[in-house]
Amino acid sequence: MRKFQVLVSLGTFLLLWELIAELGTAPRALVPAPTDIARVFMNLNSAYLIAVNYSLTAARALAGFILGLAGGIGLGVIFSIRSMHNYIQPVATLFFAVPSVAWVPILIVWVGIKEFELPVTASFLCSFPPVLYGMINALRTVDREQVDVAMVLGARPRTVFTKVVLPQALLKVIPLIKTEAVMAWKTVFVTEMIALSSGLGYLAMVYATTIDTSKLIAVVIVLALTTLAIVQLFDLIERKLSSRWVGELRWSRLPLSL
Amino acid sequence: MVEVTLKSVRNFILKSVSTSFPSGKLSVIIGPNGAGKTTLLKVIAGLVVYDGSVCFNGDCIDELPPYERGVSYVPQNNALFANMTVWDNIAFGLRVRGFSEDYVRKRVAELIEMLSLESVANRYPATLSGGEARKVALARALAVDPKVLLLDEPFANLDVETRAAVEQEVMMTVKRLGRTVLLVTHTVEKAIVNAEKLHILWGGRLLFSGRLSDLSTVEVPEDIRYWLGSVIEVDGSHYGEGLCYAELNGFKIPVHCVSRLRKFKRVLIPATAVKICRKGWLRGEIVSVRKSGAYFRVGVRLGDAVIYAVTPIQLRLGEVVSLRVSEAIPLGE
């Protein structure tokens, strides 16, 4: 039933869009019809161009995100120790508060306009502080009684950490990781728009300058579909774990999910 | 025998406690919220820093970390590991202690059968009801065969039926396994009838330690009487199948049936079991009124005895009211 509703909703939207474009209420060059955009994907040259730049953007976003994730989780574990936590938390909070896109101009100055290093660093800085901040908080808010019980039952501190504290902290931090994965993707796109000469962001800027609206919208569609795919992927991971640990009912589908 | 001698506990109210808990028996620790009951359990488990000593049968264990003390602890919120199934929760203590997987399987199956948890063995804690979760926490604590079992408010937050079922399960387990059990509760309830020794904590200090029947012979400060209830002599008693009552001024008061107390002359009437109403047969005069939060604690003279009650209504001294007693605890001869 839900799939049917999604199909009706998207179908109606596309139909209306096609109708408006066909009626000529707005210049076709500015508001292309869905069929014009479909032709962009079917044209080998433009599809190839989009695919090549897409793979560049994806590689950059993924590399920075994985580094940020590993660093955030790893350092989060270390910094959650009480003696270090009080010193690290204020700085982590400060970095967490900086909007990820705000890093781009600073990085242009610090890293320079380098095709790989600049977007990867931007993607890293987008994911690292929030994951670190979230991991520290998740680790420190695990139920103290569970730790006590585990110790009384005979578990050494290391076992308590790996078997009880860490798995539950990771579950708490998954929604944040999902948000940051989307943000890393968007930040790399913006970085490419502002400073680089390759990638989806760059391609979008080129099509905007040449007023090639159908190709521009094709790029935006690719961008949006990837965002949805990321959300879906993390939703799946979250549901797989949470339906077992936390109960199916608590996890409602996000508005972005199809 | 578990002996506890405490001078102070860092960051907690508990201080000056010196008492013992008999081996293989149930001891109950009661006291209002914030009296230091949970802290006392945590001292025995080694989960808080304290100045004093805890000894099991003469061996002091103060230097031992929690994982080497040989105790089990069931906290009020059960603290089931959310990332493990019921089966894995129960097996946790055995696995971390290095028991073979064959033994773990056998022992967990035994406990699951004993506590009738077969239908939930593969479920995760989030999907359990309050009563099931409490039983799983109990099974997990029993799995490691502890020298001392510490239960923090095991019957709290359960509906009446579940509470009765869990209560019965705990009592049967205690009897069957013959473990030293320390049970904490903040309400005067049936569990204290089965206690070999009763301890009353008040404001971090131990005010009473002895058998339940001794409550009628020792002088208990009025503050505690207001909270605990009243010990009164009854005119007669009846013990029958599921129907036990005491007679007071010609009226029948329902009493918890306890087989070892077929005849009793005194009962403890918990303040929370007394309802004040305008009309009724058991009538008395208000002799004391004390404000306690949003409620009033009142003393009602009934012949020679004073019965304490909790009521949301502000009553005046000298006012004549009627009482309805929903339960009493027999204290023996």
Side-chain angles (χ1 to χ4, degrees):
Chain A
M1 187 63 193
R2 198 182 147 76
K3 272 181 188 165
F4 173 74
Q5 288 164 337
V6 170
L7 284 175
V8 169
S9 164
L10 288 179
T12 314
F13 171 70
L14 288 174
L15 207 66
L16 280 174
W17 182 2
E18 184 74 34
L19 212 64
I20 290 167
E22 289 297 338
L23 286 173
T25 37
R28 191 79 176 228
L30 295 182
V31 186
T35 42
D36 298 335
I37 298 161
R39 261 180 234 116
V40 173
F41 289 114
M42 285 187 284
N43 179 298
L44 271 184
N45 281 338
S46 52
Y48 174 75
L49 204 57
I50 290 174
V52 167
N53 283 285
Y54 177 81
S55 58
L56 280 173
T57 307
R60 289 161 178 166
L62 196 65
F65 173 68
I66 286 173
L67 284 175
L69 193 64
I73 290 175
L75 288 177
V77 168
I78 296 168
F79 292 159
S80 65
I81 298 164
R82 184 188 286 272
S83 53
M84 300 176 82
H85 166 260
N86 293 342
Y87 295 100
I88 298 300
Q89 181 77 2
V91 182
T93 311
L94 192 70
F95 273 68
F96 178 60
V98 177
S100 49
V101 180
W103 286 111
V104 179
I106 301 174
L107 291 177
I108 290 175
V109 177
W110 286 349
V111 181
I113 301 175
K114 294 178 178 164
E115 291 290 320
F116 189 71
E117 289 89 333
L118 177 64
V120 169
T121 318
S123 167
F124 169 79
L125 277 176
C126 168
S127 7
F128 173 70
V131 173
L132 174 68
Y133 178 84
M135 197 63 198
I136 292 176
N137 279 334
L139 284 167
R140 292 186 64 81
T141 52
V142 166
D143 180 16
R144 177 72 221 179
E145 293 280 26
Q146 289 190 31
V147 174
D148 284 351
V149 168
M151 296 250 281
V152 169
L153 287 171
R156 301 286 196 274
R158 183 180 294 181
T159 314
V160 175
F161 185 78
T162 53
K163 303 270 183 197
V164 177
V165 178
L166 193 59
Q168 293 188 49
L170 283 174
L171 182 66
K172 278 188 190 174
V173 103
I174 284 178
L176 183 71
I177 293 176
K178 173 170 66 183
T179 313
E180 294 318 318
V182 173
M183 279 311 294
W185 171 247
K186 290 177 183 172
T187 305
V188 169
F189 183 81
V190 172
T191 312
E192 289 166 349
M193 276 172 61
I194 298 173
L196 302 184
S197 54
S198 61
L200 274 188
Y202 166 74
L203 207 58
M205 285 310 284
V206 170
Y207 292 146
T209 343
T210 53
I211 318 180
D212 199 340
T213 322
S214 53
K215 285 180 183 164
L216 177 60
I217 292 176
V219 169
V220 172
I221 287 172
V222 169
L223 183 77
L225 287 178
T226 308
T227 305
L228 283 177
I230 295 170
V231 172
Q232 288 286 317
L233 175 71
F234 279 96
D235 266 0
L236 188 74
I237 297 171
E238 202 174 4
R239 268 205 300 278
K240 281 269 179 208
L241 292 174
S242 61
S243 62
R244 288 164 34 175
W245 293 7
V246 193
E248 193 80 62
L249 290 174
R250 187 180 141 187
W251 301 88
S252 56
R253 296 170 79 89
L254 284 176
L256 272 177
S257 308
L258 283 176
Chain B
M1 177 88 79
V2 178
E3 288 163 297
V4 179
T5 311
L6 277 180
K7 286 182 193 140
S8 64
V9 182
R10 194 190 291 173
N11 300 330
F12 290 95
I13 190 174
L14 195 63
K15 50 191 168 283
S16 306
V17 170
S18 181
T19 188
S20 62
F21 306 94
S23 290
K25 305 281 183 192
L26 171 72
S27 297
V28 171
I29 304 160
I30 58 172
N33 289 330
K37 305 179 300 290
T38 302
T39 312
L40 182 58
L41 295 190
K42 290 195 169 183
V43 164
I44 295 166
L47 294 168
V48 287
V49 182
Y50 59 91
D51 180 12
S53 70
V54 176
C55 306
F56 293 172
N57 298 323
D59 296 328
C60 293
I61 53 163
D62 306 302
E63 299 305 317
L64 296 180
Y67 42 86
E68 287 176 5
R69 291 198 167 199
V71 304
S72 267
Y73 169 53
V74 179
Q76 196 177 346
N77 70 354
N78 302 319
L80 295 177
F81 307 130
N83 55 321
M84 298 177 202
T85 60
V86 164
W87 179 282
D88 290 331
N89 261 280
I90 300 172
F92 182 85
L94 297 167
R95 284 180 176 147
V96 296
R97 284 171 193 227
F99 285 97
S100 72
E101 205 49 40
D102 276 350
Y103 176 75
V104 173
R105 264 198 296 276
K106 192 170 149 254
R107 179 86 179 119
V108 175
E110 228 173 70
L111 284 159
I112 282 184
E113 193 195 337
M114 188 171 103
L115 290 162
S116 314
L117 291 166
E118 293 89 344
S119 59
V120 296
N122 294 319
R123 280 173 36 192
Y124 281 81
T127 64
L128 301 178
S129 69
E132 287 166 344
R134 200 58 52 91
K135 286 205 277 183
V136 174
L138 185 64
R140 181 180 61 179
L142 289 170
V144 292
D145 204 11
K147 282 187 256 177
V148 180
L149 178 61
L150 310 169
L151 305 173
D152 192 358
E153 307 269 10
F155 316 124
N157 307 323
L158 297 176
D159 62 57
V160 181
E161 286 90 3
T162 316
R163 182 194 174 98
V166 174
E167 199 170 273
Q168 195 180 1
E169 211 74 66
V170 169
M171 293 312 159
M172 276 176 65
T173 310
V174 169
K175 265 188 196 157
R176 208 183 309 169
L177 302 178
R179 291 273 158 265
T180 306
V181 180
L182 273 60
L183 186 151
V184 153
T185 172
H186 73 280
T187 52
V188 182
E189 55 187 302
K190 193 185 171 188
I192 71 169
V193 185
N194 299 301
E196 182 71 13
K197 208 170 172 187
L198 179 72
H199 305 258
I200 301 177
L201 274 176
W202 191 272
R205 293 179 192 279
L206 188 67
L207 287 187
F208 175 83
S209 177
R211 299 176 75 89
L212 181 60
S213 54
D214 296 341
L215 259 185
S216 53
T217 55
V218 293
E219 196 56 45
V220 178
E222 201 185 20
D223 270 356
I224 301 170
R225 287 274 180 233
Y226 271 112
W227 171 78
L228 186 68
S230 20
V231 175
I232 58 165
E233 280 201 24
V234 291
D235 308 327
S237 61
H238 170 85
Y239 187 91
E241 279 301 310
L243 178 71
C244 302
Y245 59 84
E247 282 182 23
L248 182 66
N249 289 7
F251 295 100
K252 289 173 182 166
I253 297 174
V255 168
H256 288 297
C257 299
V258 182
S259 55
R260 67 182 162 85
L261 289 175
R262 284 170 179 267
K263 290 273 177 203
F264 48 87
K265 281 186 178 167
R266 293 186 182 85
V267 292
L268 168 66
I269 301 179
T272 48
V274 182
K275 295 276 171 290
I276 291 196
C277 32
R278 296 282 170 190
K279 285 182 181 170
W281 296 105
L282 204 58
R283 293 172 72 80
E285 180 192 343
I286 304 275
V287 289
S288 62
V289 179
R290 190 170 290 192
K291 192 159 178 15
S292 168
Y295 286 81
F296 296 91
R297 291 189 178 271
V298 295
V300 183
R301 181 164 296 285
L302 210 71
D304 294 337
V306 174
I307 292 187
Y308 295 96
V310 189
T311 172
I313 309 157
Q314 186 166 12
L315 297 160
R316 289 186 306 277
L317 284 173
E319 200 171 336
V320 176
V321 292
S322 296
L323 301 178
R324 199 168 291 157
V325 180
S326 59
E327 62 169 342
I329 293 159
L331 293 183
E333 295 293 319

